[in-house]
Amino acid sequence: QVQLVESGGGLVQPGGSLRLSCAASGSTFSSLWMYWVRQAPGKGLEWVSTISTSSGTYYTDSVKGRFTISRDNAKNTLYLQMNSLKSEDTAVYYCARGLDPTDSAMAYWGKGTLVTVSS
């Protein structure tokens, strides 16, 4: 029953913006840590951002000041606002969630949405 569905990816020019969404299933969304992870073409997984159950936020250095993670608990939705996009941001972006309210490990992943930054 656990489902995470990303949306909002697409082609954008360098310097442009894009907002990704992740619709999550389940009744415990507000009690789960949520994450964004990305994988550039031919490369490994890279953690991008985290938002805690109390809405504390964390970012990898390469996206600080450009990306903003947020959540809407009433809609069971996670967001990633991406501004000032660079070609190196090109990747498949995945959302992930903690196992349960007592364990924040990334246990469930969506199938991803592709973001391509190119002129």
Side-chain angles (χ1 to χ4, degrees), residues 2 9-10 16-17 20 22 40-41 46 50-52 58-60 62 78-79 82 85-86 90 92 95 99-100 109 112:
V2 174
S17 297
L20 305 184
C22 174
E46 177 189 25
T50 296
I51 187 164
S52 73
Y58 310 88
Y59 303 91
T60 191
S62 64
L78 175 73
Y79 302 98
M82 305 185 295
L85 284 161
K86 305 174 181 179
T90 295
V92 175
C95 64
L99 176 63
D100 59 45
W109 296 58

Side-chain angles (χ1 to χ4, degrees), residues 2 4 25 32-35 95-100 105-108:
V2 174
L4 297 169
S25 65
L32 301 170
W33 283 52
M34 299 295 296
Y35 312 84
C95 64
R97 53 155 275 192
L99 176 63
D100 59 45
M106 296 183 204
Y108 302 100

Side-chain angles (χ1 to χ4, degrees), residues 44-93:
L45 294 167
E46 177 189 25
W47 168 77
V48 176
S49 186
T50 296
I51 187 164
S52 73
T53 53
S54 59
S55 293
T57 58
Y58 310 88
Y59 303 91
T60 191
D61 286 345
S62 64
V63 309
K64 286 181 179 176
R66 300 189 298 119
F67 290 11
T68 302
I69 189 171
S70 62
R71 64 194 299 159
D72 186 336
N73 291 337
K75 295 182 178 181
N76 274 26
T77 303
L78 175 73
Y79 302 98
L80 184 68
Q81 177 66 46
M82 305 185 295
N83 298 326
S84 301
L85 284 161
K86 305 174 181 179
S87 60
E88 50 263 47
D89 294 318
T90 295
V92 175
Y93 284 72

